[in-house]
């Protein structure tokens, strides 16, 4: 089913949309992701039905997470990497997460303008989404978007996070391989990289290893190889590579290393175990997010939330006490924990 054959409905059924996605209809793919990102309750029901239709056709891709500090060249790297992989016969989907304004909630969503050549390739699909209030550098529905892209026939899924920060690690809970991009650096600059995110990385890549930075990049690679000597993820010893995305040098070695990681983790069962654990993490993430949504929408909470927040921000109430009071309203309990009428 293509865009020309899909019924011209204001809102197709989940089965109709699933069939169009599986047939490779790009408009249906974009529409499906928009549907799962919607917060409308009726859309959520349709989205759940859509995912149920598509689930048997998912799970066959290589899922990659890519993070790095602003300026490291994530978009340039992803474009060069994506075009290389497409040249080998693969189909690439890029789920790029843009930071949202904490004031307006808006997002620039400029990844397609930064990956011009890749966005024009018929075997590539780029979908920017706002991070919203979700922590961890990813959007709330990124996991579901990955499944939809897999069902549409994309066998390499790249999740680009908003950048390295204190919580830019959630992507590691949804991909097969987490790649950390670094700039050529040394001394104090190396000290500034978060230890936690380095420990989560399955592959470390020093980008911009060209021109005046080539020598610095070689030193950075050597420093990180020394620092990560003892870091292992099961049978996998974390490699440190270098590349020049702008010159398309070293991209082939990175793809070959990803293939080696896939072979090792499939052989020892770590890939299947990792995906099973990720599914459990997804369950609890959805529980947390849904509970917060329900909490904010609860009439008793909404009635007192502004007043209690004002008390906390004004220093007249202790946050822990205020939180318990609001939770008591949400749960229909009295202040001492007994149920109210």
């Amino acid at each position: 089913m293509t865009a020309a054959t899909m019924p011209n409905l204001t809102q197709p059924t989940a089965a109709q949309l699933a069939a169009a996605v599986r047939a490779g209809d790009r408009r249906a793919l974009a529409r499906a992701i928009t549907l799962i990102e919607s917060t409308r309750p009726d859309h959520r029901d349709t989205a759940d039905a859509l995912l149920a239709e598509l689930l048997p056709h998912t799970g066959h891709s290589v899922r990659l997470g890519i993070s790095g500090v602003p300026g490291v060249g994530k978009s340039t790297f992803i474009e060069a990497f994506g075009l290389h992989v497409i040249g080998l016969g693969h189909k690439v989907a890029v789920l790029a997460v843009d930071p949202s304004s904490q004031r307006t909630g808006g997002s620039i969503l400029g990844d397609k303008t930064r990956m011009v050549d890749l966005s024009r390739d018929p075997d590539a699909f780029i979908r920017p989404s706002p991070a919203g209030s979700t922590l961890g550098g990813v959007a709330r529905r990124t996991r579901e978007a990955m499944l939809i892209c897999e069902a549409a026939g994309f066998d390499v899924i790249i999740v680009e996070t908003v950048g390295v920060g204190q919580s830019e690690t959630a992507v590691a809970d949804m991909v097969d391989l987490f790649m950390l991009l670094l700039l050529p650096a040394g001394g104090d600059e190396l000290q500034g990289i978060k230890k936690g995110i380095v420990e989560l990385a399955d592959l470390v890549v020093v980008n911009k290893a060209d021109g005046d930075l080539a020598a610095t990049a070689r030193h950075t690679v050597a420093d990180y190889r020394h620092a990560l000597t003892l870091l292992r993820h099961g049978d996998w010893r974390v490699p440190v590579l270098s590349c020049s995305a702008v010159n398309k040098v070293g991209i082939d070695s990175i793809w070959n290393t990803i293939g080696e990681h896939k072979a090792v983790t499939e052989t020892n069962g770590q890939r299947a175990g990792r995906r099973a654990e990720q599914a459990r993490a997804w369950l609890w993430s959805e529980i947390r997010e849904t509970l917060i949504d329900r909490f904010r929408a609860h009439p008793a909470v909404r009635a007192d939330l502004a007043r209690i927040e004002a008390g906390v921000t004004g220093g007249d109430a202790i946050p822990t006490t205020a939180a318990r009071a609001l939770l008591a309203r949400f749960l229909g309990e009295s202040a001492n924990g007994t149920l109210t009428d």
Side-chain angles (χ1 to χ4, degrees), residues 42 85 203 262 264 274 285 305 312:
D42 58 327
V85 172
L203 173 60
K262 182 175 183 288
V264 168
R274 184 168 181 168
S285 174
L305 183 58
V312 169

Side-chain angles (χ1 to χ4, degrees), residues 58-107:
T58 65
H60 306 298
S61 75
V62 176
R63 302 170 181 174
L64 307 175
I66 298 180
S67 190
V69 296
V72 75
K74 289 193 296 292
S75 296
T76 303
F77 173 82
I78 291 172
E79 179 166 63
F81 178 84
L83 291 172
H84 174 78
V85 172
I86 288 172
L88 298 175
H90 297 277
K91 296 183 67 177
V92 177
V94 180
L95 303 175
V97 184
D98 275 13
S100 298
S101 167
Q102 296 301 306
R103 294 185 178 183
T104 67
S107 183

Side-chain angles (χ1 to χ4, degrees), residues 49-296:
L50 171 67
L51 291 169
E53 291 273 351
L54 295 178
L55 190 61
H57 310 287
T58 65
H60 306 298
S61 75
V62 176
R63 302 170 181 174
L64 307 175
I66 298 180
S67 190
V69 296
V72 75
K74 289 193 296 292
S75 296
T76 303
F77 173 82
I78 291 172
E79 179 166 63
F81 178 84
L83 291 172
H84 174 78
V85 172
I86 288 172
L88 298 175
H90 297 277
K91 296 183 67 177
V92 177
V94 180
L95 303 175
V97 184
D98 275 13
S100 298
S101 167
Q102 296 301 306
R103 294 185 178 183
T104 67
S107 183
I108 295 175
L109 304 179
D111 288 271
K112 284 192 175 183
T113 65
R114 297 195 297 268
M115 306 179 198
V116 177
D117 292 338
L118 186 62
S119 65
R120 291 172 178 167
D121 196 294
D123 289 321
F125 175 77
I126 301 176
R127 173 72 181 208
S129 297
S133 60
T134 304
L135 296 177
V138 295
R140 179 176 178 181
R141 300 300 175 189
T142 298
R143 293 178 178 89
E144 296 173 14
M146 281 198 306
L147 297 181
I148 293 173
C149 289
E150 287 178 345
F154 293 92
D155 59 343
V156 178
I157 313 293
I158 299 173
V159 181
E160 178 196 1
T161 73
V162 299
V164 177
Q166 193 62 41
S167 63
E168 303 298 313
T169 55
V171 67
D173 284 333
M174 62 180 69
V175 296
D176 302 318
L177 180 143
F178 178 39
M179 183 191 310
L180 177 62
L181 289 182
L182 298 176
L183 287 165
D188 291 340
E189 292 168 290
L190 288 176
Q191 292 294 327
I193 302 296
K194 304 286 190 204
K195 179 182 177 183
I197 199 166
V198 173
E199 290 177 335
L200 285 174
D202 301 296
L203 173 60
V204 175
V205 175
V206 179
N207 191 23
K208 301 189 178 182
D210 50 54
D212 294 340
L213 293 175
T216 304
R218 287 194 295 271
H219 290 304
T220 304
V221 169
D223 288 340
Y224 268 94
R225 283 178 178 167
H226 177 72
L228 301 179
T229 299
L230 301 179
L231 182 60
R232 300 180 71 95
H233 294 175
D235 296 330
W236 179 253
R237 177 169 291 174
V238 179
V240 182
L241 305 177
S242 64
C243 75
S244 170
V246 70
N247 294 327
K248 299 179 175 58
V249 175
I251 303 297
D252 54 345
S253 296
I254 294 170
W255 175 245
N256 292 338
T257 301
I258 291 170
E260 293 170 7
H261 178 269
K262 182 175 183 288
V264 168
T265 55
E266 283 183 338
T267 300
N268 63 16
Q270 186 178 351
R271 187 171 186 260
R274 184 168 181 168
R275 287 195 173 187
E277 184 59 30
Q278 287 169 352
R280 187 165 72 107
W282 182 5
L283 167 69
W284 283 104
S285 174
E286 186 63 23
I287 289 173
R288 286 191 297 270
E289 295 284 352
T290 302
L291 279 174
I292 291 173
D293 289 344
R294 296 284 179 87
F295 175 82
R296 288 182 174 275

